[in-house]
PDB file of all heavy atoms in Angstrom:
ATOM      1  N   ASN A 279       8.652  11.691  -0.833  1.00 96.00           N
ATOM      2  CA  ASN A 279       8.499  10.923   0.404  1.00 96.00           C
ATOM      3  C   ASN A 279       7.243  10.058   0.399  1.00 96.00           C
ATOM      4  O   ASN A 279       6.863   9.520   1.433  1.00 96.00           O
ATOM      5  CB  ASN A 279       8.517  11.857   1.613  1.00 96.00           C
ATOM      6  CG  ASN A 279       9.929  12.164   2.054  1.00 96.00           C
ATOM      7  OD1 ASN A 279      10.616  11.279   2.556  1.00 96.00           O
ATOM      8  ND2 ASN A 279      10.381  13.386   1.849  1.00 96.00           N
ATOM      9  N   GLY A 280       6.605   9.917  -0.757  1.00 96.00           N
ATOM     10  CA  GLY A 280       5.488   8.986  -0.889  1.00 96.00           C
ATOM     11  C   GLY A 280       4.103   9.569  -0.688  1.00 96.00           C
ATOM     12  O   GLY A 280       3.113   8.849  -0.775  1.00 96.00           O
ATOM     13  N   PHE A 281       4.009  10.875  -0.420  1.00 97.00           N
ATOM     14  CA  PHE A 281       2.694  11.490  -0.243  1.00 97.00           C
ATOM     15  C   PHE A 281       1.935  11.497  -1.566  1.00 97.00           C
ATOM     16  O   PHE A 281       2.535  11.644  -2.634  1.00 97.00           O
ATOM     17  CB  PHE A 281       2.829  12.938   0.253  1.00 97.00           C
ATOM     18  CG  PHE A 281       3.156  13.060   1.714  1.00 97.00           C
ATOM     19  CD1 PHE A 281       4.458  12.901   2.158  1.00 97.00           C
ATOM     20  CD2 PHE A 281       2.158  13.340   2.644  1.00 97.00           C
ATOM     21  CE1 PHE A 281       4.780  13.024   3.501  1.00 97.00           C
ATOM     22  CE2 PHE A 281       2.472  13.468   3.989  1.00 97.00           C
ATOM     23  CZ  PHE A 281       3.784  13.299   4.417  1.00 97.00           C
ATOM     24  N   GLU A 282       0.628  11.388  -1.460  1.00 97.00           N
ATOM     25  CA  GLU A 282      -0.247  11.432  -2.626  1.00 97.00           C
ATOM     26  C   GLU A 282      -1.092  12.708  -2.576  1.00 97.00           C
ATOM     27  O   GLU A 282      -1.704  13.009  -1.543  1.00 97.00           O
ATOM     28  CB  GLU A 282      -1.167  10.204  -2.616  1.00 97.00           C
ATOM     29  CG  GLU A 282      -2.102  10.122  -3.792  1.00 97.00           C
ATOM     30  CD  GLU A 282      -2.982   8.881  -3.732  1.00 97.00           C
ATOM     31  OE1 GLU A 282      -2.605   7.885  -3.084  1.00 97.00           O
ATOM     32  OE2 GLU A 282      -4.077   8.936  -4.326  1.00 97.00           O
ATOM     33  N   PHE A 283      -1.099  13.440  -3.691  1.00 97.00           N
ATOM     34  CA  PHE A 283      -1.937  14.635  -3.780  1.00 97.00           C
ATOM     35  C   PHE A 283      -3.393  14.202  -3.727  1.00 97.00           C
ATOM     36  O   PHE A 283      -3.811  13.291  -4.435  1.00 97.00           O
ATOM     37  CB  PHE A 283      -1.660  15.402  -5.079  1.00 97.00           C
ATOM     38  CG  PHE A 283      -2.594  16.566  -5.280  1.00 97.00           C
ATOM     39  CD1 PHE A 283      -2.429  17.740  -4.571  1.00 97.00           C
ATOM     40  CD2 PHE A 283      -3.664  16.464  -6.160  1.00 97.00           C
ATOM     41  CE1 PHE A 283      -3.302  18.802  -4.738  1.00 97.00           C
ATOM     42  CE2 PHE A 283      -4.539  17.526  -6.340  1.00 97.00           C
ATOM     43  CZ  PHE A 283      -4.353  18.697  -5.632  1.00 97.00           C
ATOM     44  N   LYS A 284      -4.187  14.868  -2.900  1.00 97.00           N
ATOM     45  CA  LYS A 284      -5.607  14.536  -2.757  1.00 97.00           C
ATOM     46  C   LYS A 284      -6.501  15.606  -3.368  1.00 97.00           C
ATOM     47  O   LYS A 284      -7.409  15.297  -4.132  1.00 97.00           O
ATOM     48  CB  LYS A 284      -5.973  14.337  -1.279  1.00 97.00           C
ATOM     49  CG  LYS A 284      -5.347  13.124  -0.655  1.00 97.00           C
ATOM     50  CD  LYS A 284      -5.852  11.865  -1.337  1.00 97.00           C
ATOM     51  CE  LYS A 284      -5.369  10.612  -0.655  1.00 97.00           C
ATOM     52  NZ  LYS A 284      -5.896   9.404  -1.267  1.00 97.00           N
ATOM     53  N   ASN A 285      -6.296  16.865  -2.977  1.00 95.00           N
ATOM     54  CA  ASN A 285      -7.166  17.933  -3.465  1.00 95.00           C
ATOM     55  C   ASN A 285      -6.615  19.281  -3.026  1.00 95.00           C
ATOM     56  O   ASN A 285      -5.596  19.356  -2.353  1.00 95.00           O
ATOM     57  CB  ASN A 285      -8.601  17.744  -2.956  1.00 95.00           C
ATOM     58  CG  ASN A 285      -8.686  17.695  -1.436  1.00 95.00           C
ATOM     59  OD1 ASN A 285      -7.697  17.697  -0.729  1.00 95.00           O
ATOM     60  ND2 ASN A 285      -9.890  17.649  -0.922  1.00 95.00           N
ATOM     61  N   ARG A 286      -7.318  20.313  -3.406  1.00 94.00           N
ATOM     62  CA  ARG A 286      -6.996  21.655  -2.912  1.00 94.00           C
ATOM     63  C   ARG A 286      -8.012  21.999  -1.836  1.00 94.00           C
ATOM     64  O   ARG A 286      -9.196  21.681  -1.967  1.00 94.00           O
ATOM     65  CB  ARG A 286      -7.041  22.678  -4.042  1.00 94.00           C
ATOM     66  CG  ARG A 286      -5.871  22.496  -4.992  1.00 94.00           C
ATOM     67  CD  ARG A 286      -5.804  23.609  -5.989  1.00 94.00           C
ATOM     68  NE  ARG A 286      -4.646  23.417  -6.850  1.00 94.00           N
ATOM     69  CZ  ARG A 286      -3.926  24.391  -7.343  1.00 94.00           C
ATOM     70  NH1 ARG A 286      -4.230  25.645  -7.089  1.00 94.00           N
ATOM     71  NH2 ARG A 286      -2.895  24.143  -8.117  1.00 94.00           N
ATOM     72  N   VAL A 287      -7.524  22.607  -0.774  1.00 93.00           N
ATOM     73  CA  VAL A 287      -8.393  22.997   0.333  1.00 93.00           C
ATOM     74  C   VAL A 287      -8.174  24.476   0.609  1.00 93.00           C
ATOM     75  O   VAL A 287      -7.120  25.033   0.309  1.00 93.00           O
ATOM     76  CB  VAL A 287      -8.097  22.165   1.613  1.00 93.00           C
ATOM     77  CG1 VAL A 287      -8.400  20.702   1.396  1.00 93.00           C
ATOM     78  CG2 VAL A 287      -6.669  22.348   2.087  1.00 93.00           C
ATOM     79  N   THR A 288      -9.183  25.107   1.175  1.00 92.00           N
ATOM     80  CA  THR A 288      -9.061  26.501   1.572  1.00 92.00           C
ATOM     81  C   THR A 288      -9.090  26.556   3.087  1.00 92.00           C
ATOM     82  O   THR A 288     -10.019  26.048   3.724  1.00 92.00           O
ATOM     83  CB  THR A 288     -10.203  27.352   0.978  1.00 92.00           C
ATOM     84  OG1 THR A 288     -10.151  27.245  -0.445  1.00 92.00           O
ATOM     85  CG2 THR A 288     -10.052  28.812   1.372  1.00 92.00           C
ATOM     86  N   ILE A 289      -8.044  27.143   3.644  1.00 86.00           N
ATOM     87  CA  ILE A 289      -7.953  27.324   5.089  1.00 86.00           C
ATOM     88  C   ILE A 289      -7.738  28.806   5.321  1.00 86.00           C
ATOM     89  O   ILE A 289      -6.776  29.386   4.820  1.00 86.00           O
ATOM     90  CB  ILE A 289      -6.814  26.484   5.687  1.00 86.00           C
ATOM     91  CG1 ILE A 289      -7.106  25.002   5.433  1.00 86.00           C
ATOM     92  CG2 ILE A 289      -6.653  26.771   7.174  1.00 86.00           C
ATOM     93  CD1 ILE A 289      -6.039  24.065   5.913  1.00 86.00           C
ATOM     94  N   GLY A 290      -8.660  29.401   6.085  1.00 83.00           N
ATOM     95  CA  GLY A 290      -8.644  30.857   6.209  1.00 83.00           C
ATOM     96  C   GLY A 290      -8.927  31.426   4.827  1.00 83.00           C
ATOM     97  O   GLY A 290      -9.904  31.059   4.191  1.00 83.00           O
ATOM     98  N   ASN A 291      -8.061  32.260   4.349  1.00 85.00           N
ATOM     99  CA  ASN A 291      -8.241  32.802   2.997  1.00 85.00           C
ATOM    100  C   ASN A 291      -7.168  32.275   2.043  1.00 85.00           C
ATOM    101  O   ASN A 291      -6.954  32.856   0.986  1.00 85.00           O
ATOM    102  CB  ASN A 291      -8.211  34.337   3.031  1.00 85.00           C
ATOM    103  CG  ASN A 291      -6.879  34.869   3.545  1.00 85.00           C
ATOM    104  OD1 ASN A 291      -6.064  34.123   4.060  1.00 85.00           O
ATOM    105  ND2 ASN A 291      -6.667  36.163   3.396  1.00 85.00           N
ATOM    106  N   ARG A 292      -6.488  31.171   2.408  1.00 87.00           N
ATOM    107  CA  ARG A 292      -5.405  30.624   1.592  1.00 87.00           C
ATOM    108  C   ARG A 292      -5.809  29.290   0.994  1.00 87.00           C
ATOM    109  O   ARG A 292      -6.308  28.404   1.693  1.00 87.00           O
ATOM    110  CB  ARG A 292      -4.142  30.398   2.436  1.00 87.00           C
ATOM    111  CG  ARG A 292      -3.620  31.547   3.255  1.00 87.00           C
ATOM    112  CD  ARG A 292      -2.932  32.664   2.527  1.00 87.00           C
ATOM    113  NE  ARG A 292      -1.746  32.423   1.785  1.00 87.00           N
ATOM    114  CZ  ARG A 292      -0.505  32.652   2.211  1.00 87.00           C
ATOM    115  NH1 ARG A 292      -0.292  33.080   3.432  1.00 87.00           N
ATOM    116  NH2 ARG A 292       0.512  32.447   1.419  1.00 87.00           N
ATOM    117  N   GLU A 293      -5.564  29.148  -0.290  1.00 93.00           N
ATOM    118  CA  GLU A 293      -5.754  27.861  -0.930  1.00 93.00           C
ATOM    119  C   GLU A 293      -4.471  27.053  -0.781  1.00 93.00           C
ATOM    120  O   GLU A 293      -3.372  27.570  -0.990  1.00 93.00           O
ATOM    121  CB  GLU A 293      -6.082  28.032  -2.414  1.00 93.00           C
ATOM    122  CG  GLU A 293      -6.342  26.704  -3.096  1.00 93.00           C
ATOM    123  CD  GLU A 293      -6.647  26.846  -4.569  1.00 93.00           C
ATOM    124  OE1 GLU A 293      -5.790  27.379  -5.301  1.00 93.00           O
ATOM    125  OE2 GLU A 293      -7.732  26.417  -4.968  1.00 93.00           O
ATOM    126  N   LEU A 294      -4.615  25.781  -0.407  1.00 95.00           N
ATOM    127  CA  LEU A 294      -3.465  24.906  -0.196  1.00 95.00           C
ATOM    128  C   LEU A 294      -3.662  23.597  -0.951  1.00 95.00           C
ATOM    129  O   LEU A 294      -4.794  23.106  -1.080  1.00 95.00           O
ATOM    130  CB  LEU A 294      -3.291  24.602   1.291  1.00 95.00           C
ATOM    131  CG  LEU A 294      -3.089  25.792   2.218  1.00 95.00           C
ATOM    132  CD1 LEU A 294      -3.199  25.363   3.670  1.00 95.00           C
ATOM    133  CD2 LEU A 294      -1.746  26.441   1.954  1.00 95.00           C
ATOM    134  N   CYS A 295      -2.572  23.027  -1.433  1.00 96.00           N
ATOM    135  CA  CYS A 295      -2.587  21.693  -2.018  1.00 96.00           C
ATOM    136  C   CYS A 295      -2.431  20.692  -0.870  1.00 96.00           C
ATOM    137  O   CYS A 295      -1.512  20.807  -0.064  1.00 96.00           O
ATOM    138  CB  CYS A 295      -1.446  21.545  -3.022  1.00 96.00           C
ATOM    139  SG  CYS A 295      -1.562  22.679  -4.415  1.00 96.00           S
ATOM    140  N   HIS A 296      -3.332  19.733  -0.796  1.00 97.00           N
ATOM    141  CA  HIS A 296      -3.413  18.794   0.331  1.00 97.00           C
ATOM    142  C   HIS A 296      -2.925  17.412  -0.106  1.00 97.00           C
ATOM    143  O   HIS A 296      -3.416  16.853  -1.090  1.00 97.00           O
ATOM    144  CB  HIS A 296      -4.869  18.715   0.817  1.00 97.00           C
ATOM    145  CG  HIS A 296      -5.105  17.725   1.895  1.00 97.00           C
ATOM    146  ND1 HIS A 296      -4.943  18.035   3.220  1.00 97.00           N
ATOM    147  CD2 HIS A 296      -5.480  16.421   1.847  1.00 97.00           C
ATOM    148  CE1 HIS A 296      -5.237  16.963   3.953  1.00 97.00           C
ATOM    149  NE2 HIS A 296      -5.551  15.982   3.138  1.00 97.00           N
ATOM    150  N   TYR A 297      -1.966  16.868   0.656  1.00 98.00           N
ATOM    151  CA  TYR A 297      -1.401  15.551   0.391  1.00 98.00           C
ATOM    152  C   TYR A 297      -1.589  14.666   1.618  1.00 98.00           C
ATOM    153  O   TYR A 297      -1.694  15.164   2.736  1.00 98.00           O
ATOM    154  CB  TYR A 297       0.108  15.661   0.137  1.00 98.00           C
ATOM    155  CG  TYR A 297       0.492  16.395  -1.117  1.00 98.00           C
ATOM    156  CD1 TYR A 297       0.362  17.778  -1.209  1.00 98.00           C
ATOM    157  CD2 TYR A 297       1.020  15.713  -2.211  1.00 98.00           C
ATOM    158  CE1 TYR A 297       0.737  18.455  -2.354  1.00 98.00           C
ATOM    159  CE2 TYR A 297       1.400  16.391  -3.367  1.00 98.00           C
ATOM    160  CZ  TYR A 297       1.254  17.756  -3.428  1.00 98.00           C
ATOM    161  OH  TYR A 297       1.627  18.420  -4.568  1.00 98.00           O
ATOM    162  N   GLU A 298      -1.575  13.358   1.390  1.00 98.00           N
ATOM    163  CA  GLU A 298      -1.693  12.409   2.488  1.00 98.00           C
ATOM    164  C   GLU A 298      -0.729  11.251   2.285  1.00 98.00           C
ATOM    165  O   GLU A 298      -0.445  10.853   1.150  1.00 98.00           O
ATOM    166  CB  GLU A 298      -3.118  11.852   2.588  1.00 98.00           C
ATOM    167  CG  GLU A 298      -4.137  12.907   2.956  1.00 98.00           C
ATOM    168  CD  GLU A 298      -5.546  12.347   3.114  1.00 98.00           C
ATOM    169  OE1 GLU A 298      -5.768  11.123   2.886  1.00 98.00           O
ATOM    170  OE2 GLU A 298      -6.430  13.141   3.475  1.00 98.00           O
ATOM    171  N   LEU A 299      -0.246  10.719   3.400  1.00 98.00           N
ATOM    172  CA  LEU A 299       0.586   9.520   3.394  1.00 98.00           C
ATOM    173  C   LEU A 299       0.083   8.605   4.501  1.00 98.00           C
ATOM    174  O   LEU A 299       0.124   8.968   5.677  1.00 98.00           O
ATOM    175  CB  LEU A 299       2.060   9.869   3.615  1.00 98.00           C
ATOM    176  CG  LEU A 299       3.049   8.694   3.668  1.00 98.00           C
ATOM    177  CD1 LEU A 299       3.027   7.871   2.382  1.00 98.00           C
ATOM    178  CD2 LEU A 299       4.454   9.206   3.970  1.00 98.00           C
ATOM    179  N   LYS A 300      -0.405   7.435   4.114  1.00 97.00           N
ATOM    180  CA  LYS A 300      -0.846   6.434   5.085  1.00 97.00           C
ATOM    181  C   LYS A 300       0.337   5.554   5.471  1.00 97.00           C
ATOM    182  O   LYS A 300       1.199   5.259   4.649  1.00 97.00           O
ATOM    183  CB  LYS A 300      -1.951   5.565   4.483  1.00 97.00           C
ATOM    184  CG  LYS A 300      -3.217   6.315   4.182  1.00 97.00           C
ATOM    185  CD  LYS A 300      -4.233   5.406   3.511  1.00 97.00           C
ATOM    186  CE  LYS A 300      -5.448   6.221   3.107  1.00 97.00           C
ATOM    187  NZ  LYS A 300      -6.316   5.452   2.215  1.00 97.00           N
ATOM    188  N   ARG A 301       0.342   5.136   6.721  1.00 96.00           N
ATOM    189  CA  ARG A 301       1.418   4.266   7.206  1.00 96.00           C
ATOM    190  C   ARG A 301       1.553   3.030   6.312  1.00 96.00           C
ATOM    191  O   ARG A 301       2.663   2.651   5.938  1.00 96.00           O
ATOM    192  CB  ARG A 301       1.172   3.822   8.644  1.00 96.00           C
ATOM    193  CG  ARG A 301       2.262   2.867   9.147  1.00 96.00           C
ATOM    194  CD  ARG A 301       1.795   2.006  10.306  1.00 96.00           C
ATOM    195  NE  ARG A 301       1.478   2.749  11.482  1.00 96.00           N
ATOM    196  CZ  ARG A 301       2.249   2.809  12.568  1.00 96.00           C
ATOM    197  NH1 ARG A 301       3.402   2.191  12.588  1.00 96.00           N
ATOM    198  NH2 ARG A 301       1.876   3.481  13.616  1.00 96.00           N
ATOM    199  N   SER A 302       0.444   2.408   5.951  1.00 95.00           N
ATOM    200  CA  SER A 302       0.493   1.186   5.144  1.00 95.00           C
ATOM    201  C   SER A 302       1.136   1.451   3.778  1.00 95.00           C
ATOM    202  O   SER A 302       1.910   0.628   3.285  1.00 95.00           O
ATOM    203  CB  SER A 302      -0.898   0.582   4.981  1.00 95.00           C
ATOM    204  OG  SER A 302      -1.778   1.524   4.379  1.00 95.00           O
ATOM    205  N   ASP A 303       0.843   2.577   3.163  1.00 94.00           N
ATOM    206  CA  ASP A 303       1.454   2.917   1.875  1.00 94.00           C
ATOM    207  C   ASP A 303       2.940   3.203   2.048  1.00 94.00           C
ATOM    208  O   ASP A 303       3.761   2.812   1.214  1.00 94.00           O
ATOM    209  CB  ASP A 303       0.762   4.133   1.242  1.00 94.00           C
ATOM    210  CG  ASP A 303      -0.678   3.840   0.845  1.00 94.00           C
ATOM    211  OD1 ASP A 303      -1.026   2.653   0.664  1.00 94.00           O
ATOM    212  OD2 ASP A 303      -1.450   4.813   0.721  1.00 94.00           O
ATOM    213  N   TRP A 304       3.285   3.882   3.126  1.00 93.00           N
ATOM    214  CA  TRP A 304       4.692   4.203   3.404  1.00 93.00           C
ATOM    215  C   TRP A 304       5.497   2.927   3.638  1.00 93.00           C
ATOM    216  O   TRP A 304       6.599   2.780   3.114  1.00 93.00           O
ATOM    217  CB  TRP A 304       4.751   5.136   4.614  1.00 93.00           C
ATOM    218  CG  TRP A 304       6.117   5.441   5.106  1.00 93.00           C
ATOM    219  CD1 TRP A 304       7.026   6.318   4.562  1.00 93.00           C
ATOM    220  CD2 TRP A 304       6.747   4.890   6.253  1.00 93.00           C
ATOM    221  NE1 TRP A 304       8.176   6.341   5.309  1.00 93.00           N
ATOM    222  CE2 TRP A 304       8.023   5.476   6.351  1.00 93.00           C
ATOM    223  CE3 TRP A 304       6.357   3.966   7.217  1.00 93.00           C
ATOM    224  CZ2 TRP A 304       8.913   5.159   7.365  1.00 93.00           C
ATOM    225  CZ3 TRP A 304       7.241   3.654   8.240  1.00 93.00           C
ATOM    226  CH2 TRP A 304       8.492   4.243   8.303  1.00 93.00           C
ATOM    227  N   GLN A 305       4.922   1.991   4.407  1.00 91.00           N
ATOM    228  CA  GLN A 305       5.629   0.745   4.696  1.00 91.00           C
ATOM    229  C   GLN A 305       5.857  -0.083   3.431  1.00 91.00           C
ATOM    230  O   GLN A 305       6.877  -0.744   3.288  1.00 91.00           O
ATOM    231  CB  GLN A 305       4.843  -0.096   5.706  1.00 91.00           C
ATOM    232  CG  GLN A 305       4.878   0.471   7.103  1.00 91.00           C
ATOM    233  CD  GLN A 305       3.959  -0.253   8.061  1.00 91.00           C
ATOM    234  OE1 GLN A 305       2.872  -0.700   7.686  1.00 91.00           O
ATOM    235  NE2 GLN A 305       4.391  -0.361   9.310  1.00 91.00           N
ATOM    236  N   ALA A 306       4.914   0.010   2.494  1.00 89.00           N
ATOM    237  CA  ALA A 306       4.995  -0.783   1.267  1.00 89.00           C
ATOM    238  C   ALA A 306       5.857  -0.129   0.183  1.00 89.00           C
ATOM    239  O   ALA A 306       6.187  -0.779  -0.805  1.00 89.00           O
ATOM    240  CB  ALA A 306       3.585  -1.019   0.728  1.00 89.00           C
TER     241      ALA A 306
END
C-alpha cells in the first residue's frame, strides 16, 4: 500500500517495525 519502513521502535516492552505513508507519496 506504499508505506515506507522507517525504523524499529519500542512501545511498552514490545519492539515494533514502524512504517509511514505521506499523502503526497500516496497520491504520486
Side-chain angles (χ1 to χ4, degrees):
N279 276 291
F281 283 80
E282 181 180 336
F283 174 76
K284 292 297 186 177
N285 58 354
R286 289 188 178 214
V287 296
T288 301
I289 298 177
N291 61 349
R292 307 286 298 261
E293 182 181 59
L294 301 169
C295 298
H296 176 87
Y297 293 73
E298 295 182 357
L299 178 59
K300 295 177 185 168
R301 178 202 296 255
S302 58
D303 294 338
W304 174 78
Q305 288 172 325

